[in-house]
Amino acid sequence: QNDKSVDDQIASCRELCAREGFAVVQVFSDREMSGAFTVNRPGFQALMRAAELKAFDIIVAEDMDRVFRSQADYHNARRRLDFLGIGLYTIAGQVGEMDGALRALMGEHFLKNLAVHTRRGLEAVVRSGRNAGGRAYGYRPVPGKPGQLTIDDAEADIVRRIFKEFVEGATPRAIAVGLNADRIAAPRGTRWTATTINGNLARGHGLLMNELYTGVIVWNRVRMVKDPTTGKRISRPNKAADYRRAEALHLRIIDQETWDAAQAIKRGRSNVGATTARKPLRPLSGLLRCGYCGAGMTALGASDPASRIACSARASAKVAPARTAARFRDQPGR
């Protein structure tokens, strides 16, 4: 929740400690962080390290779901705390083995149920012709009207320029070079790249594939899942049959003829469905980063035994300085 919520919880816990005669030796918190997993919460990890050092005898929390929202996390931590002889209390009293397991189950179920209700609410937003996602290039939000968008005329002109040049035969890389040369601000970051324009056909990403430019709101292209090992959110593409669409003709920027021509070119160049993935050619493939802009480094002149590596952003959009290029020689064992 918000930062004040944590302070309120701490105050409630201190009141319980005062009533029970507990001495508060340390306070742990994870402010404004999800409780779905414990692996990525520094406050919880610090608490468990302190438990190993026997820094306290009892853990006090406002409720079980403030500590655990996963059955696996609860049972793993509870097994260790029981071994260390550390008790667990909430405002309602001491947490026993049976009620602790039940409350962990309820916390996990609450998160799943919340996700279902959230998705249902977002789907209703789309059906009403409002935007349920983030900001799209070419539009700006309407102040005081959540989900309502209006066309940004300056950015819309850039969108039309990109589609026009693409239909006329320019590659996304060449278009990005031209936009950067004209010092046109990119949607994110400091530069235009071919990926920003071209996107990913399987995921429906990219400026050239955004159906909002034809006056159609598309939602549910991807779903977010959390990796139980790291607690990080990962996006996974949904099937096209799961997409949700709604007309919003007042948001049309690109005419249908231009859109259809661009999509025909995209389909002709697509390699979606290919079964063979290209393997890295060198041990450092995909690991090197440009020290100037942070983009990946790519090998140039692979047939040359003394190959060059250069910033991929420079190659695709001409933004990083030439000094980011370097030379290396492949040597066995290095």
Side-chain angles (χ1 to χ4, degrees):
Q1 299 179 5
N2 57 41
D3 196 57
K4 186 177 184 299
S5 171
V6 174
D7 293 332
D8 292 341
Q9 293 173 47
I10 293 173
S12 296
C13 292
R14 287 187 178 277
E15 290 177 3
L16 181 144
C17 292
R19 290 196 306 269
E20 298 292 336
F22 300 154
V24 178
V25 296
Q26 198 165 352
V27 176
F28 303 89
S29 66
D30 289 301
R31 295 177 180 270
E32 299 183 42
M33 294 185 67
S34 170
F37 295 98
T38 58
V39 65
N40 61 341
R41 290 164 49 195
F44 180 85
Q45 297 301 324
L47 179 144
M48 294 304 295
R49 289 194 297 270
E52 295 288 344
L53 298 175
K54 301 292 184 68
F56 45 75
D57 303 307
I58 292 171
I59 297 173
V60 177
E62 183 185 51
D63 203 349
M64 278 285 297
D65 61 5
R66 301 297 88 190
V67 188
F68 310 102
R69 283 258 173 102
S70 162
Q71 295 182 78
D73 286 341
Y74 166 76
H75 289 296
N76 287 336
R78 186 62 187 259
R79 186 179 300 113
R80 192 61 188 167
L81 293 173
D82 286 346
F83 173 76
L84 296 170
I86 296 175
L88 183 61
Y89 274 71
T90 67
I91 301 302
Q94 187 170 9
V95 178
E97 182 177 346
M98 292 295 292
D99 64 312
L102 179 60
R103 289 158 75 177
L105 172 63
M106 292 172 61
E108 185 172 312
H109 178 71
F110 172 82
L111 285 184
K112 293 179 179 180
N113 200 37
L114 179 63
V116 170
H117 290 306
T118 300
R119 290 181 61 83
R120 186 182 65 191
L122 292 174
E123 191 169 349
V125 168
V126 173
R127 284 199 303 268
S128 69
R130 292 177 292 149
N131 182 43
R135 180 182 181 274
Y137 188 79
Y139 305 93
R140 63 176 184 272
V142 177
K145 296 182 178 181
Q148 296 285 353
L149 298 178
T150 187
I151 295 175
D152 184 306
D153 293 332
E155 292 184 356
D157 288 339
I158 303 302
V159 172
R160 296 187 188 99
R161 166 181 166 174
I162 291 172
F163 272 86
K164 180 176 182 294
E165 293 181 4
F166 183 72
V167 170
E168 290 175 351
T171 64
R173 178 176 296 182
I175 296 172
V177 171
L179 294 171
N180 288 321
D182 292 341
R183 300 184 180 279
I184 295 172
R188 296 176 182 174
T190 58
R191 64 183 185 275
W192 288 88
T193 66
T195 302
T196 303
I197 296 171
N198 202 37
N200 183 297
L201 186 59
R203 289 176 172 265
H205 290 171
L207 191 145
L208 289 172
M209 300 187 63
N210 191 346
E211 292 185 55
L212 188 58
Y213 297 136
T214 66
V216 178
I217 296 175
V218 182
W219 176 74
N220 204 38
R221 285 194 180 99
V222 298
R223 65 187 184 279
M224 303 301 295
V225 297
K226 284 193 175 183
D227 185 334
T229 303
T230 63
K232 293 182 178 179
R233 284 161 52 89
I234 299 173
S235 66
R236 291 180 178 171
N238 289 326
K239 297 178 181 178
D242 295 330
Y243 292 2
R244 298 291 182 267
R245 289 181 167 85
E247 284 193 352
L249 296 180
H250 63 288
L251 298 178
R252 177 186 281 273
I253 292 177
I254 301 299
D255 63 83
Q256 196 63 43
E257 182 180 355
T258 301
W259 172 265
D260 291 341
Q263 300 316 302
I265 296 172
K266 287 281 294 178
R267 288 191 296 270
R269 298 176 180 176
S270 170
N271 61 355
V272 172
T275 57
T276 303
R278 186 175 66 179
K279 296 181 179 180
L281 298 178
R282 299 176 177 80
L284 298 180
S285 293
L287 300 178
L288 301 179
R289 294 288 172 183
C290 173
Y292 178 79
C293 68
M297 302 290 282
T298 185
L300 304 178
S303 60
D304 184 354
S307 302
R308 289 193 311 123
I309 58 173
C311 172
S312 60
R314 171 178 167 76
S316 65
K318 308 295 184 187
V319 293
R323 64 182 174 81
T324 60
R327 294 182 69 84
F328 70 93
R329 186 179 296 276
D330 288 331
Q331 298 181 15
R334 298 190 64 180

